[in-house]
């Protein structure tokens, strides 16, 4: 077969050569050890936790090493393209402080290794398909869908491996005249790799390949034997081919991708070798799992788990710093230990490594995230939290924005309630919850949510509140104030100290705690809250008195 002639026949329009591309996209001029990583999402409009998880690995590996992190849009499947998807990807990741250095952008591409949309790289892929044809490493395949289905049925019946390979690859044997004939009659075709794998050998004697994965160590797998499609009938590459060409010419050093790509690794290795390209370092990340309703681990699902979508975190108002902190705990097994040793260090000082990543399913747990939020938020100054709330409210709850804007001093006092001292309160989690948590500070949202303790009669509750209102002095310090509550308690037959009540429960109706709960419900609407006296100081005298009077 005259492969040169075949290549010209199929790709007459391709005039550039591989050498041209090697020259156009030279090795990057980066310091030793600098890593080049990329995120390659499909523009489906749905960006999920898995994307963020992968992007975080990419970002850390690149930026920690003085390297480059770029965005490549994998849009070879135009059925899945959604308008605005690129913006969604960029803005969603930016929210979590994940920024690209180059690649697809909101106002076009930046960087000299583009285009960064696969749909705009047809010529490059075709140049290399042509090259492979020239070398007899690839061929046009004219099998129709029906023929392929027939082959599959036969393979199933004979219990043979599925796919087009060796003896099933009928188009391998076509002469150039037959190919010309097929082309003339307009028969559609794809370009397939002519795999050099030994398809005929016994499964247990199959040759293997070994790849060093930065997360998983040495991977040993059977070599590829399949004539996989590299260019589809429309001249657009498959993932396999695009990955190899793009990551070579974009000079990616580390390919971070989900473990669902592991089975196709032998295909990629064969393609890299056939093209004479150096293999990148693969980092196959573990699937994100959660404990399902039945107590078993399962993959996060788009349908069942709203927390899979990144929008979820923005809607709820999770603080990006907390999400980053949490992601690191599931990404690197030594992070938590580091955090204990370095409680106040900026997170970027942690040295992230692929080697410390789990390879057996990363467990995602919303409760754990919430716990981490509490730890992270307690360290964020109230002023910053207030700004964060404003930003969140502007986007997701504009009807409450006015409560924050122009009211910053009030809000800051609220957020700082009980946060000083050695045992600061850790009850702020995410914006939506924070608003719920402090909503009683705003008259429009104040409502009585809880009931008086059962041992306090309506009559006593009234008596407590009227005595409280009568003796209330906003200038009282905390101990004067509490002294008065004790007095009210004693006068009404409640123990001044819980321990007195515990010793002689028959002598009292209850204790001072019950009395303060009555007050708490009147002022805050809730039986649980930070310190009443401090809250009243923030609410101010007038509002405090009004609430008690209203309750009476
Ligand atoms: N477009 C592929 C995906 O979304 C990218 C995989 C890769 O990073 O190589 O799964």
């Amino acid at each position: 077969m005259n492969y040169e002639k075949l290549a010209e026949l199929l790709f007459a329009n391709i005039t550039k050569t591989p050498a041209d591309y090697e020259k156009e996209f030279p090795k990057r001029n980066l310091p030793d050890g600098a890593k080049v990583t990329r995120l390659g999402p499909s523009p489906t409009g749905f960006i999920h936790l898995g994307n963020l998880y992968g992007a975080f690995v990419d970002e850390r590996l690149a930026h920690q090493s003085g390297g480059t992190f770029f965005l490549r849009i994998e849009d070879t499947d135009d059925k899945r393209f959604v308008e605005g998807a690129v913006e969604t990807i960029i803005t969603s990741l930016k929210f979590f402080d994940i920024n690209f250095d180059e690649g697809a952008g909101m106002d076009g591409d930046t960087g000299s290794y583009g285009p960064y949309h696969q749909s705009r790289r047809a010529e490059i892929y075709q140049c290399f398909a042509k090259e492979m044809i020239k070398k007899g490493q690839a061929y046009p395949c004219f099998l129709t869908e029906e023929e392929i289905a027939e082959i599959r049925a036969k393979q199933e019946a004979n219990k043979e491996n599925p796919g087009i390979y060796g003896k099933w690859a009928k188009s391998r044997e076509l002469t150039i005249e037959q190919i010309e004939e097929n082309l003339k009659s307009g028969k559609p075709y794809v370009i397939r790799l002519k795999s050099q794998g030994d398809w005929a050998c016994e499964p247990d004697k199959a040759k293997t390949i070994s790849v060093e994965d930065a997360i998983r160590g040495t991977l040993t797998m059977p070599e590829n034997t399949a004539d996989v499609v590299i260019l589809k009938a429309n001249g657009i590459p498959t993932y396999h081919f695009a990955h190899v060409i793009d990551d070579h010419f974009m000079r990616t050093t580390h390919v971070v991708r989900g473990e669902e790509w592991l089975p196709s690794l032998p295909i990629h290795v064969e393609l890299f070798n056939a093209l004479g390209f150096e293999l990148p370092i693969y980092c196959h990340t573990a699937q994100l799992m959660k404990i399902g309703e039945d107590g078993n681990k399962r993959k996060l699902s788009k349908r069942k788990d709203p927390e899979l979508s990144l929008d979820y975190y923005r809607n709820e108002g999770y603080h990006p710093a907390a999400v980053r902190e949490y992601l690191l705990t599931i990404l690197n097994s030594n992070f938590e230990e580091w955090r204990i040793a370095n409680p106040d260090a900026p997170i970027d000082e942690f040295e992230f490594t692929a080697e410390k990543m789990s390879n057996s399913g990363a467990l995602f747990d919303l409760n754990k995230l919430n716990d981490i939020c509490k730890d992270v938020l307690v360290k964020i100054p109230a002023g910053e939290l207030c700004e964060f709330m404003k930003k969140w409210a502007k986007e997701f709850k504009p009807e409450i924005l006015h409560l924050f804007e122009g009211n910053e001093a009030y809000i800051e006092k609220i957020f700082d309630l009980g946060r000083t001292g050695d045992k600061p309160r850790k009850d702020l989690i995410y914006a939506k919850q924070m608003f719920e948590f402090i909503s009683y500070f705003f008259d429009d949202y104040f409502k009585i949510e809880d009931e008086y303790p059962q041992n306090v009669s309506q009559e006593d509750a009234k008596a407590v509140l009227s005595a409280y209102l009568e003796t209330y002095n906003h200038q009282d310090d905390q101990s004067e104030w509490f002294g008065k509550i004790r007095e009210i308690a004693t006068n009404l037959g409640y123990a001044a100290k819980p321990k007195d009540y515990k010793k002689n429960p028959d002598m009292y109706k209850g204790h001072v705690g019950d009395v303060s709960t009555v007050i708490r419900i009147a002022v805050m609407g809730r039986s649980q809250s930070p310190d009443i006296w401090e809250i009243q100081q923030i609410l101010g005298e007038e509002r405090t008195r009004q609430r008690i009077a209203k309750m009476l």
Side-chain angles (χ1 to χ4, degrees), residues 38-42 51 72 74 118 239 243 247 255-258 260-261:
R38 85 297 193 271
L39 190 71
S42 305
N51 297 125
R72 175 171 75 225
E74 308 218 326
Q118 289 183 330
Y239 167 80
H243 152 52
D247 284 318
V255 168
V256 178
R257 63 183 182 186
E260 66 275 17
W261 294 108

Side-chain angles (χ1 to χ4, degrees), residues 373-374 377 385 415 426-430 433-434 437:
C373 288
K374 294 179 188 172
L377 263 52
L385 286 182
F415 281 150
K426 293 183 181 175
D427 29 31
L428 305 179
I429 311 176
Y430 50 89
Q433 174 268 346
M434 282 156 73
F437 189 70

Side-chain angles (χ1 to χ4, degrees), residues 29-64:
N29 193 4
L30 287 170
D32 267 359
K35 299 179 170 106
V36 179
T37 59
R38 85 297 193 271
L39 190 71
S42 305
T44 59
F46 180 65
I47 172 136
H48 54 80
L49 202 59
N51 297 125
L52 176 63
Y53 177 83
F56 199 89
V57 179
D58 282 316
E59 190 274 343
R60 283 293 75 209
L61 293 181
H63 291 161
Q64 248 174 208

